[in-house]
Amino acid sequence: MHLGLIGGIGPAATEFYYRGLVARYAGAAKPMELTIVHADARALSRNAAVGDAQKKAQIFLALVRRLASAGAQTAAISSIGGHFCVQELLALSPIPILNAIPEIAERVQKNELKTVGLLGTSRVMQTRLYGGISSASVVVPEGDALDKVHRTYIAMALSGKVTDEQRGKLFSIGQSLCRDQGAEVVLLAGTDLFLAFDGRACGFPFMDCAEIHIDALYRASVGEA
């Protein structure tokens, strides 16, 4: 299956998806077919901040049409934060959109988790990942910690890199979700969070939502259930 990715939100996240798919295809019997289009990360941040899902869906729709014209049979938003308008996009798209949210919810349920924490944008955290997780309780950073996570994450996504100070903030808040609020696992519900967590000992168990989405994209593209 020819996959289409809405990328650029942010650039490091797009590369993460691309490298993840390439790695999974390394052992596949068929070559990967992939087209990526570029979306503007700052425009996404502005529209998400005011909750303008319809406007963002229209922007994504134009990109999906370009992907379909290039031969893509299924598309995906390579941004967990970008999924704030996924339902609106699903209603408009000329090709299927592989929605990350049900895939994440299914993984939480399969792991029989009772309480999970969330790190991501403010909208991701405030909506408990868009209300998509029903099999477990969802806890998020409290007080000004939520805003600290949001601001840290947006800065990382726009720059494509992470500082030691930013990493330390995220690790400390993630530890608090487990220690003080009972999270068994923290969901990295921001695609660029791999910049801080990849290859690092953070002091708590986590699941990367982008990895879950990439797994689902790979399975769909090779025809696996």
Side-chain angles (χ1 to χ4, degrees), residues 3-219:
L3 292 176
L5 286 184
I6 298 174
I9 40 177
T14 306
E15 182 183 9
F16 187 67
Y17 268 72
Y18 176 67
R19 289 184 180 276
L21 287 168
V22 168
R24 286 161 175 79
Y25 260 93
K30 59 183 75 173
M32 180 171 68
E33 293 184 81
L34 175 68
T35 299
I36 303 174
V37 291
H38 180 77
D40 182 66
R42 287 174 175 80
L44 170 61
S45 183
R46 288 193 300 269
N47 287 316
V50 298
D52 198 339
Q54 288 293 344
K55 181 177 180 180
K56 194 71 232 178
Q58 288 293 335
I59 293 171
F60 281 166
L61 176 61
L63 296 174
V64 171
R65 285 173 174 159
R66 285 172 54 191
L67 290 170
S69 295
Q73 298 160 282
T74 293
I77 305 167
S78 61
S79 162
I80 304 302
H83 276 69
F84 87 97
C85 67
V86 70
Q87 293 300 330
E88 289 77 8
L89 181 60
L90 284 166
L92 300 169
S93 178
I95 59 176
I97 304 294
L98 206 160
N99 184 354
I101 309 307
E103 303 294 334
I104 296 165
E106 182 180 5
R107 186 70 62 89
V108 168
Q109 186 172 25
K110 280 186 175 180
N111 281 273
E112 300 182 344
L113 297 168
K114 302 302 181 186
T115 305
V116 297
L118 275 181
L119 295 177
T121 65
S122 58
R123 187 165 295 276
V124 161
M125 293 183 289
Q126 289 166 345
T127 61
R128 272 53 177 180
L129 197 60
Y130 311 115
I133 297 174
S134 59
S135 64
S137 297
V138 180
V139 295
V140 300
E142 298 178 319
D144 65 352
L146 189 144
D147 186 54
K148 285 181 181 179
V149 171
H150 174 78
R151 286 187 283 106
T152 298
Y153 178 72
I154 294 300
M156 287 169 48
L158 293 177
S159 69
K161 56 188 177 182
V162 63
T163 66
D164 289 339
E165 181 183 3
Q166 290 169 334
R167 181 181 287 112
K169 286 179 183 178
L170 293 170
F171 285 10
S172 176
I173 293 170
Q175 289 163 10
S176 178
L177 287 172
C178 296
R179 182 186 64 246
D180 302 329
Q181 294 184 250
E184 301 161 79
V185 168
V186 173
L187 301 180
L188 304 185
T191 318
D192 297 88
L193 286 171
F194 81 94
L195 291 166
F197 285 82
D198 196 25
R200 300 280 180 158
C202 63
F204 55 90
F206 66 85
M207 291 196 305
D208 191 325
C209 293
E211 289 279 10
I212 294 170
H213 197 200
I214 295 166
D215 281 341
L217 285 167
Y218 172 72
R219 293 195 308 271

